[in-house]
Amino acid sequence: MRKYIYILKTTFLDSIQYVSSILFKFIGYFISIFVMFSLWSYVYSDASNIINGYTLTQMMWYILMSEIITYGGNSKVIINEITEDIKNGNIAYHINKPYHYLGYIFMKYIGDSILRVLLYALVSILLAVLFVGFIPGFNFTNIIFIILSFILGFLINGFLKITISLLSFWIEDSEPFHWIYNKFMLILGVFFPVEMFPKFLQPYIAFTPVYVVIYGPSKLVVDFSFELFKSILIGQLIYTLITGLIMILVFKKGVKRVNVNGG
């Protein structure tokens, strides 16, 4: 376990050296949020409007909270390192090391994302307060449950991204699949909450990763209830188990393919 903690710590310290690059990206982030705020302000022409259960304040908080996982968990370690390790054969070198490759890469993912997640969480909260103020009636005693939901959403997102990158065992470049995954999450999870879609689509969206990675944690911030928390938690635990198993199976299949081909 100590070696994995060391990997996480080393990656985190490396990420601190690039904090200026992360901060520079907040310029584009602020512009995109300002555009979103302008669009939704126009939709909510009357501040008292409630659209599908969301006020303007709740909508903006939902969007900004969803961006924490979207941007915070967008680590290039998973996309670049796994793909390069497989393409240049370094994966065989890592397999013979005294650690599991998936544990190694996942610790790097966490270490590379910690600073980004914290910065985006801080900036998102500040922007939400600046644009629409605090959520009326928000109960700070629920924060521990909300944080737990965000952590599980972050873990599931990592498992899915690692699995997509492991497709490099069979295809030359997995980045197009990451692009599809990111756009899927963005459109169905960030831009619009589930309630904004036609009713016949909502049950189907609830079974997708969008519900447990983006929608669930963000929804708990704007409209918390223990009934909703239990529903989301069950879904997240199931998804954590399933995506974790799929990730391991894909990795084992890929390694077997390398061994068969004499890699």
Side-chain angles (χ1 to χ4, degrees):
M1 188 62 187
R2 291 177 60 185
K3 51 182 171 284
Y4 295 111
I5 298 298
Y6 176 78
I7 292 168
L8 187 154
K9 179 181 176 182
T10 303
T11 308
F12 173 71
L13 293 175
D14 287 341
S15 70
I16 293 177
Q17 300 178 24
Y18 302 99
V19 66
S20 58
S21 175
I22 298 174
L23 292 174
F24 183 74
K25 293 178 180 178
F26 281 123
I27 298 175
Y29 180 63
F30 176 80
I31 294 173
S32 66
I33 293 301
F34 179 76
V35 171
M36 291 292 292
F37 173 69
S38 300
L39 290 172
W40 280 111
S41 294
Y42 178 77
V43 174
Y44 285 88
S45 54
D46 183 350
S48 63
N49 280 351
I50 297 178
I51 302 176
N52 292 346
Y54 289 81
T55 63
L56 175 60
T57 299
Q58 289 177 315
M59 182 60 69
M60 287 308 302
W61 270 93
Y62 173 88
I63 292 171
L64 282 158
M65 292 301 98
S66 65
E67 298 283 22
I68 295 175
I69 294 179
T70 304
Y71 281 90
N74 190 28
S75 173
K76 293 297 182 182
V77 168
I78 290 180
I79 299 175
N80 297 338
E81 187 158 342
I82 295 178
T83 301
E84 287 303 313
D85 283 343
I86 294 173
K87 287 170 65 176
N88 60 29
N90 279 346
I91 188 73
Y93 169 79
H94 283 291
I95 292 173
N96 294 319
K97 285 288 185 178
Y99 53 71
H100 197 286
Y101 181 75
L102 292 180
Y104 161 79
I105 207 69
F106 191 70
M107 286 298 106
K108 294 201 71 173
Y109 166 66
I110 295 176
D112 185 57
S113 300
I114 289 175
L115 181 62
R116 189 182 297 104
V117 168
L118 292 176
L119 288 175
Y120 273 102
L122 176 62
V123 172
S124 294
I125 292 172
L126 290 175
L127 288 177
V129 174
L130 174 65
F131 285 134
V132 293
F134 292 98
I135 301 173
F138 181 80
N139 190 343
F140 284 91
T141 59
N142 297 327
I143 287 180
I144 184 66
F145 304 108
I146 294 171
I147 291 176
L148 174 61
S149 183
F150 268 92
I151 290 174
L152 289 172
F154 177 76
L155 294 179
I156 296 167
N157 187 54
F159 288 164
L160 288 168
K161 283 180 170 287
I162 290 174
T163 303
I164 293 171
S165 292
L166 290 173
L167 294 177
S168 295
F169 278 116
W170 293 272
I171 58 177
E172 186 174 349
D173 188 5
S174 63
E175 192 160 354
F177 293 95
H178 279 287
W179 185 88
I180 294 172
Y181 172 79
N182 290 334
K183 293 300 177 284
F184 180 79
M185 289 293 190
L186 198 65
I187 295 172
L188 296 183
V190 177
F191 289 163
F192 306 101
V194 173
E195 293 86 352
M196 294 296 170
F197 291 94
K199 287 188 177 181
F200 75 91
L201 282 179
Q202 292 179 19
Y204 298 102
I205 297 175
F207 283 100
T208 69
V210 170
Y211 188 85
V212 292
V213 174
I214 302 293
Y215 171 81
S218 304
K219 177 67 173 180
L220 289 173
V221 174
V222 302
D223 189 20
F224 183 91
S225 72
F226 279 103
E227 183 178 349
L228 177 64
F229 171 72
K230 290 176 184 177
S231 172
I232 293 169
L233 179 63
I234 292 172
Q236 287 181 321
L237 291 175
I238 293 173
Y239 249 95
T240 301
L241 178 62
I242 293 175
T243 54
L245 288 174
I246 291 174
M247 178 181 67
I248 293 171
L249 289 173
V250 171
F251 176 73
K252 288 183 176 180
K253 279 279 189 179
V255 170
K256 185 177 180 180
R257 177 184 174 86
V258 171
N259 291 334
V260 169
N261 292 331

